[in-house]
C-alpha cells in the first residue's frame, strides 16, 4: 500500500494544513511521515462523532479517577481536568535513542555541576565556565546545601527536561526542571485512558510501555539510601491534598508502594527523621520530596512553613537521611544558568552537546541586551525565576506598549531576564471543532539518576489548544497527548 | 505499619460512610412513612429521627423544622449540618483522598464518583423532586464502597481501621435509636420503625413473625448474633479489629479492653437488667460509653499533640477532643 498523503485523506484530516512550523505527522510535501502512517489511516476511518464520544469517555475516566490539577488563579473549585487529545504524538526508536542520549548527557553534566558547586569547591566557577556572581545571585542557590553529602553525587534524581522541535526538525532544550518536575502521572494515566477508550489505535504499533515508572523510581530512590542501606524506608513528602499536584504525589506513592506523608507525619529526633505511625516512630531513610526548598525545614528556611519538618536540615547534614531531589538544585533551574549548560557539558564530560539549547541572549551582557531589546518584537523574553509559562512575553504576540514595558523592566533588572529566539514549536494534528488541525507542542521527558541514569521512554507531551498559540502549559490552558515511543522494528 | 494520620483518616472514612448510609435510611423512612401522618405526629417522628442521629444541637442552630421538606433538606443537603448525607459524602471522599495511595483505586473512584454527583445532591429542590432516586444512588454507592472495602482491600491495619470506624458508628446509631425510641409510645409502630431504620425488618419477620413486639425488637437489636446491625455483632467486630491492631499498637489496648467490657456487659444481660428499672438512663449511659470508646480509639491512634485531619466539626459538646463524634 502506497504512503497515504494529506491530499488523499478524507473526513477529519480533509482540511489539515500544516503551517510554517515542523509538522510531526506530515512532511513539507504533505506526505505522512513514517511513524504516523498507521495512525493517520486509523483516524481517516473515524468520524467526528466517534472521536468526540471517545474524548468524552476519556474525560469521564479522568473525572471519575480524580485525575486533576489545580489552577490557583481560578476561584471555581480547586480541581480541574487536564484535557487530553486523542491523536498521539509518536517518536521513532532511532530518534528517541538520540534524544535520550542527549538528555542523559545533559543531566549528567548538571549533576556534575551541582556536586562541584556544593561539595567540590566550585571548580567550574574557578575555571570561569560559569560566573560566580551569577551563581551566588541565583534564588535557587542554597548556601545551606554546601557540604551536604549526596550518595553517588546524584543531586538531581528526577529531572524533567522540556524539549521542543524547531522548524529545522531538530530537538532543542527549552528549560531544565531539576527541583520537583511534575507531569509523569499524566503520562501514565494518559496511556491507561487511551488503552481503555481506544485500544484498537495501538494495533500494529509496538509502543514502549509506561507502567514501569514506579519500579524505576523506586530503584532509583533505593540506591540513594544513606550508607547504601538495604531495603530503605522511603516516603513521598507532599504539601497535602490542596496542592496542585496532589494527585501525582498519591499516584507516585501508590505506584512505588510507599507511604505518602505530610510534614506533620515526620519528626526529627537526634538528627534522624522518623514517621509517626500507630506503632510509634519509624526511621525514614529516603524522602522523595515534592515541596520546595524554602518550605522543607521551618527552622532553617521559612519559619512560617507548616509543610516541612523542623530539624530536617540537621538530619541531612548528619547523613542519616537523603532528600530527593537534593537541596539547592534550583540554581540549575535558573534560566540565567541555562545558557551555560552546553559549556558545562564540554567542561565536565569533554563531549559536544547532543541536544542544543534554544539560542539565548543574556540580558546582563550589555551588547547582547542592546541587540535583543532592539528586536524584542521578534523574540521571547522570560523571567529567570518563573516556571509554568508565567511572566513570558512572546514578542510577535505583544503590543507595542507591552514591548516598551518589557524593555523598561529588563533594563531595570537585567539579571532577572533572558531573551530567546522564537522557536516555532512543531505541530501535530489535534482535534479542533469538527476536524484535526495543527497545534504546537513540546515534550517533557523524565530522567532518573541514582546509582545509574535511566531515561523513561516517552514523556509528557503538552499541546497548545488554540490555533497558533505557543503556550502549552496546563496552567495556561494547554492540554496533553499520549506519547508513543515506537520499538525499533516498527520505526 | 500505618501512619497515625492515615489510620485516623480511614477510621473517619469508615464512620462517615456508615453515617451517610444511616442518614439515607432515616430519610427514606421519613419520605415513606411520615407523609401520611398528621402534622403533630409527623413533627414528633421528625424529632425522633433527629434525636436518633444525635443532631439536636445542629437542629437547634437552624430552628424548628416546620415541614417535611425542611426535614428532608436538613438531613439530605444542608452543608451546614455535618450530619447530613451531603456532608457525610464529602467527608468520606476527603478522608479517602488523603489515603488514596494506600487504598484500592476502585474504592477511591467509587467515593469520588458519588461526590461528583454532588451538584444534584446539593440542590434541595431537585433532591426533593427525585428523593428516592437520590437515596437509592447514595445507598448503592455506600454498598459498593463497602463491597470494595471488604473484597478488594488488603487485610492490613488500614482495613481494620475502616471497619472499626464503621462498627463504632453503627453501634452508636443503633444504641441512639433504641434510646430515642424509648421516649415514644413503645407500640408496634415504634418497633417497626426501629427495624426499618436498621434494615432488619425482613430478618426479624423470618425469625420472630410479622407482629413485632417492642421489647422483643429491642432485645433483637441488642443481642442478635446473626444481624449485622445488632450492637453485639458490632462490638464483636470492633473488638476483633482492636485485638489485631493492639498487638503492635499498644495504645489501642485500652479501647480493646473497653470494647471487651461492653460486650461482656451486654452478653451477661446487665444492660437489659438495668433497662427494666430505668431504660432511658441506662441507654443514655450505654451510649455515653460507646462515645467514650470512640474517643479512646482516637487517642490511641493520635499522639497527645493531635494532628488535624479532614473531617467536619462534628463533635458533641463535652466530648473528648477529636473523639466521641456522633
Amino acid at each position: 500500500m502506497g504512503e497515504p498523503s494529506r491530499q488523499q485523506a478524507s473526513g477529519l484530516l480533509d482540511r489539515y494544513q500544516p503551517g510554517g512550523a515542523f509538522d510531526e505527522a506530515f512532511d513539507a510535501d504533505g506526505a505522512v511521515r513514517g511513524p504516523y502512517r498507521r495512525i493517520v489511516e486509523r483516524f481517516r476511518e473515524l468520524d467526528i462523532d466517534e472521536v468526540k464520544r471517545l474524548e468524552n469517555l476519556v474525560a469521564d475516566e479522568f473525572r471519575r479517577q480524580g485525575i486533576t490539577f489545580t489552577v490557583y488563579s481560578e476561584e471555581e473549585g480547586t480541581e480541574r481536568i487536564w484535557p487530553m487529545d486523542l491523536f498521539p504524538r509518536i517518536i521513532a526508536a532511532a530518534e528517541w535513542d538520540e534524544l535520550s542520549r542527549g538528555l542523559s548527557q545533559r543531566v549528567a553534566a548538571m549533576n556534575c555541576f551541582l556536586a562541584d558547586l556544593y561539595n567540590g569547591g566550585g571548580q567550574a566557577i574557578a575555571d570561569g565556565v560559569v560566573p560566580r556572581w551569577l551563581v551566588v545571585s541565583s534564588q535557587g542557590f542554597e548556601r545551606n546545601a554546601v557540604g551536604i553529602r549526596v550518595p553517588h553525587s546524584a543531586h538531581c534524581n528526577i529531572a524533567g527536561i522540556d524539549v521542543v522541535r524547531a522548524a529545522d526538525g531538530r530537538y532543542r532544550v527549552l528549560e531544565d526542571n531539576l527541583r520537583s518536575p511534575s507531569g509523569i502521572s499524566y503520562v501514565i494515566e494518559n496511556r491507561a485512558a487511551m488503552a481503555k477508550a481506544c485500544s484498537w489505535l495501538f494495533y500494529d504499533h509496538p509502543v514502549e510501555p509506561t507502567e514501569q515508572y514506579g519500579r524505576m523510581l523506586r530503584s532509583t530512590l533505593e540506591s540513594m539510601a544513606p550508607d547504601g542501606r538495604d531495603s530503605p524506608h522511603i516516603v513521598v513528602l507532599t504539601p497535602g491534598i490542596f496542592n496542585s499536584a496532589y494527585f501525582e504525589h498519591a499516584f507516585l506513592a501508590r505506584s512505588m508502594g510507599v507511604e505518602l506523608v505530610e510534614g506533620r507525619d515526620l519528626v526529627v529526633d537526634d538528627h534522624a527523621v522518623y514517621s509517626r505511625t500507630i506503632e510509634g516512630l519509624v526511621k525514614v531513610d529516603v524522602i522523595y520530596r515534592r515541596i520546595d526548598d524554602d518550605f522543607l525545614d521551618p527552622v532553617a528556611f521559612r519559619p512560617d512553613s507548616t509543610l516541612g519538618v523542623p530539624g530536617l536540615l540537621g538530619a541531612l547534614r548528619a547523613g542519616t537521611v537523603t532528600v530527593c531531589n537534593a537541596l539547592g538544585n534550583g540554581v540549575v533551574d535558573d534560566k540565567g544558568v541555562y545558557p551555560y549548560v552546553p559549556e558545562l557539558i564540554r567542561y565536565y564530560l569533554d563531549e559536544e552537546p547532543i541536544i542544543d539549547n534554544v539560542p539565548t541572549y543574556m540580558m546582563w551582557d550589555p551588547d547582547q541586551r542592546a541587540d535583543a531589546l532592539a528586536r524584542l518584537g521578534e523574540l521571547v523574553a522570560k523571567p529567570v525565576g518563573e516556571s509554568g509559562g508565567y511572566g513570558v512575553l512572546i514578542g510577535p504576540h505583544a503590543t507595542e506598549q507591552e514591548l516598551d514595558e518589557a524593555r523598561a523592566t529588563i533594563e531595570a533588572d537585567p539579571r532577572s531576564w533572558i531573551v530567546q529566539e522564537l522557536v516555532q514549536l512543531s505541530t501535530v494534528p489535534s482535534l479542533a471543532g469538527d476536524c484535526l488541525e495543527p497545534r504546537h507542542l513540546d515534550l517533557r521527558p523524565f530522567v532518573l539518576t541514582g546509582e545509574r541514569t535511566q531515561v523513561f521512554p516517552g514523556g509528557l507531551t503538552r499541546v497548545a489548544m488554540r490555533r497558533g498559540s505557543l503556550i502549552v502549559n496546563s496552567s495556561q490552558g494547554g492540554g496533553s497527548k499520549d506519547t508513543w515511543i515506537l520499538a525499533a522494528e516498527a520505526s | 505499619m500505618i501512619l497515625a494520620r492515615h489510620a485516623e483518616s480511614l477510621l473517619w472514612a469508615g464512620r462517615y460512610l456508615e453515617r451517610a448510609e444511616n442518614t439515607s435510611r432515616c430519610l427514606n423512612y421519613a419520605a415513606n412513612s411520615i407523609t401520611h401522618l398528621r402534622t403533630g405526629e409527623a413533627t414528633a417522628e421528625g424529632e425522633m429521627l433527629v434525636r436518633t442521629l444525635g443532631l439536636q444541637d445542629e437542629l437547634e442552630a437552624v430552628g424548628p423544622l416546620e415541614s417535611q421538606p425542611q426535614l428532608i433538606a436538613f438531613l439530605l443537603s444542608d452543608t451546614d449540618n455535618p450530619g447530613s448525607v451531603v456532608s457525610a459524602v464529602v467527608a468520606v471522599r476527603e478522608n479517602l483522598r488523603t489515603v488514596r495511595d494506600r487504598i484500592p483505586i476502585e474504592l477511591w473512584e467509587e467515593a469520588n464518583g458519588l461526590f461528583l454527583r454532588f451538584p444534584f445532591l446539593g440542590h434541595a429542590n431537585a433532591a426533593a423532586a427525585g428523593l428516592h432516586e437520590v437515596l437509592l444512588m447514595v445507598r448503592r454507592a455506600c454498598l459498593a464502597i463497602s463491597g470494595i472495602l471488604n473484597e478488594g482491600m488488603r487485610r492490613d491495619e488500614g482495613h481494620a481501621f475502616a471497619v472499626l470506624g464503621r462498627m463504632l458508628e453503627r453501634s452508636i446509631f443503633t444504641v441512639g435509636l433504641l434510646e430515642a425510641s424509648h421516649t415514644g409510645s413503645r407500640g408496634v409502630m415504634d418497633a417497626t420503625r426501629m427495624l426499618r431504620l436498621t434494615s432488619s425488618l425482613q430478618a426479624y419477620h423470618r425469625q420472630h413473625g410479622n407482629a413485632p413486639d417492642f421489647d422483643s425488637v429491642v432485645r433483637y437489636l441488642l443481642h442478635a448474633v446473626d444481624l449485622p446491625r445488632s450492637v453485639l455483632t458490632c462490638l464483636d467486630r470492633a473488638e476483633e479489629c482492636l485485638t489485631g491492631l493492639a498487638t503492635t499498637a499498644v495504645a489501642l489496648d485500652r479501647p480493646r479492653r473497653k470494647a471487651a467490657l461492653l460486650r461482656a456487659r451486654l452478653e451477661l444481660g446487665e444492660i437489659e437488667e438495668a433497662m427494666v428499672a430505668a431504660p432511658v438512663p441506662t441507654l443514655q449511659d450505654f451510649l455515653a460509653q460507646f462515645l467514650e470508646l470512640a474517643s479512646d480509639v482516637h487517642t490511641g491512634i493520635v499522639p497527645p499533640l493531635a494532628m488535624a485531619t479532614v473531617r467536619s466539626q462534628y463533635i458533641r459538646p463535652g466530648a473528648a477532643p477529636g473523639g466521641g463524634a456522633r
Side-chain angles (χ1 to χ4, degrees), chain A residues 132-410:
Chain A
R132 181 184 304 277
W133 69 266
L134 186 74
V135 170
V136 299
S137 65
S138 169
Q139 284 182 4
F141 176 60
E142 184 47 68
R143 286 164 181 78
N144 283 300
V146 174
I148 294 177
R149 293 285 160 192
V150 174
H152 316 296
S153 294
H155 287 249
C156 180
N157 312 104
I158 301 97
I161 310 295
D162 293 347
V163 295
V164 296
R165 205 205 286 258
D168 60 6
R170 293 180 57 206
Y171 286 104
R172 287 190 172 79
V173 173
L174 192 64
E175 274 184 36
D176 300 298
N177 299 282
L178 274 63
R179 285 174 291 180
S180 295
S182 60
I184 188 66
S185 58
Y186 298 103
V187 176
I188 296 158
E189 292 295 353
N190 280 356
R191 173 65 54 80
M194 283 283 280
K196 274 186 198 166
C198 34
S199 56
W200 44 268
L201 275 181
F202 291 85
Y203 295 165
D204 302 326
H205 287 99
V207 178
E208 292 283 356
T210 57
E211 69 269 17
Q212 74 277 30
Y213 185 78
R215 288 195 300 276
M216 286 172 69
L217 180 58
R218 182 165 182 151
S219 69
T220 298
L221 296 177
E222 280 176 346
S223 75
M224 294 300 293
D227 310 322
R229 200 162 299 160
D230 284 339
S231 305
H233 181 196
I234 300 168
V235 296
V236 177
L237 176 60
T238 175
I241 61 169
F242 299 110
N243 182 264
S244 63
Y246 178 74
F247 156 72
E248 174 152 308
H249 306 162
F251 174 91
L252 291 170
R254 191 179 65 231
S255 59
M256 284 193 287
V258 305
E259 294 285 0
L260 179 64
V261 302
E262 296 179 17
R264 56 189 165 141
D265 297 320
L266 301 179
V267 62
V268 174
D269 184 37
D270 196 19
H271 301 298
V273 181
Y274 298 87
S275 63
R276 300 175 200 254
T277 77
I278 60 164
E279 297 167 24
L281 300 179
V282 177
K283 190 171 177 307
V284 173
D285 301 309
V286 179
I287 300 173
Y288 177 27
R289 53 80 174 244
R290 297 298 296 258
I291 292 178
D292 288 344
D293 287 0
D294 280 356
F295 294 90
L296 266 182
D297 179 351
V299 176
F301 307 112
R302 283 180 59 152
D304 60 335
S305 169
T306 55
L307 306 176
V309 188
L312 180 58
L313 183 66
L316 274 172
R317 286 206 172 285
T320 59
V321 68
T322 306
V323 165
C324 302
N325 288 328
L327 206 59
N329 282 9
V331 68
V332 183
D333 272 15
D334 188 318
K335 293 183 179 67
V337 173
Y338 159 91
Y340 297 92
V341 174
E343 204 48 49
L344 290 174
I345 292 173
R346 295 184 189 99
Y347 178 77
Y348 288 113
L349 308 179
D350 198 20
E351 296 171 6
E352 278 303 305
I354 297 170
I355 315 173
D356 286 334
N357 275 8
V358 171
T360 302
Y361 307 104
M362 297 177 270
M363 290 301 93
W364 48 94
D365 180 308
D367 294 338
Q368 292 189 28
R369 182 166 73 244
D371 289 347
L373 293 189
R375 54 186 197 94
L376 191 59
E378 307 161 19
L379 305 174
V380 178
K382 290 181 177 176
V384 297
E386 293 286 353
S387 59
Y390 291 105
V392 173
L393 177 110
I394 298 175
H397 298 174
T399 63
E400 274 307 317
Q401 188 188 344
E402 286 169 337
L403 289 170
D404 287 342
E405 285 171 4
R407 287 186 186 101
T409 307
I410 293 169

Side-chain angles (χ1 to χ4, degrees), chain B residues 42-72:
Chain B
T43 306
E45 281 291 288
E47 284 169 359
M48 199 285 305
L49 288 179
V50 169
R51 188 184 174 103
T52 296
L53 292 164
L55 295 171
Q56 299 96 310
D57 293 345
E58 287 72 18
L59 180 60
E60 204 169 298
V62 295
L65 300 174
E66 289 165 0
S67 65
Q68 196 202 18
Q70 276 186 331
L71 173 69
I72 289 170

Side-chain angles (χ1 to χ4, degrees), chain A residues 63-65 246 264-265, chain B residues 5 97 108-109 112 308:
Chain A
R63 202 171 288 117
R64 199 164 51 85
Q65 289 190 36
Y246 178 74
R264 56 189 165 141
D265 297 320
Chain B
R5 182 173 55 83
R97 195 170 175 219
W108 158 252
E109 284 181 7
N112 190 44

